[in-house]
Amino acid sequence: DNKDSSSSRTIYGDTKTAGSICLLLQAALPCALLGCNNNNNSPTHLILKGGTNASMAPQYDYWEHVFWPTLQKGFGIPSRHVQ
């Protein structure tokens, strides 16, 4: 996490297993997009490490075809805000 509030913020999440990055993303992305950032609208970078198709967790395909389109349509989040 950067200490300078005028620069971008980087948040690291590592399950240290094949645990689902999609679960990490579902928890972290709304905060990053909707307000748990600094006051000057600089970007937040999420670096997530783990599995993409863990059992008993949302698969990456769910993120790509359901969760992300829902955020885009339901909340008006442009795709350029997530890379």
Side-chain angles (χ1 to χ4, degrees):
D1 195 359
N2 293 334
K3 294 181 180 178
D4 179 4
S5 64
S6 65
S7 64
S8 66
R9 179 177 178 173
T10 301
I11 299 172
Y12 297 92
D14 187 349
T15 63
K16 307 234 189 261
T17 67
S20 176
I21 60 169
C22 292
L23 287 176
L24 291 176
L25 193 56
Q26 284 182 331
L29 187 61
C31 293
L33 290 172
L34 302 174
C36 295
N37 200 355
N38 49 37
N39 293 327
N40 65 0
N41 292 323
S42 63
T44 296
H45 302 276
L46 299 175
I47 298 175
L48 306 174
K49 295 181 180 181
T52 55
N53 288 315
S55 61
M56 303 298 291
Q59 307 285 305
Y60 179 79
D61 292 336
Y62 175 82
W63 155 259
E64 183 178 25
H65 297 290
V66 178
F67 187 74
W68 177 233
T70 299
L71 286 179
Q72 289 178 299
K73 292 175 188 168
F75 298 97
I77 299 171
S79 60
R80 72 179 182 278
H81 285 202
V82 176
Q83 298 180 11

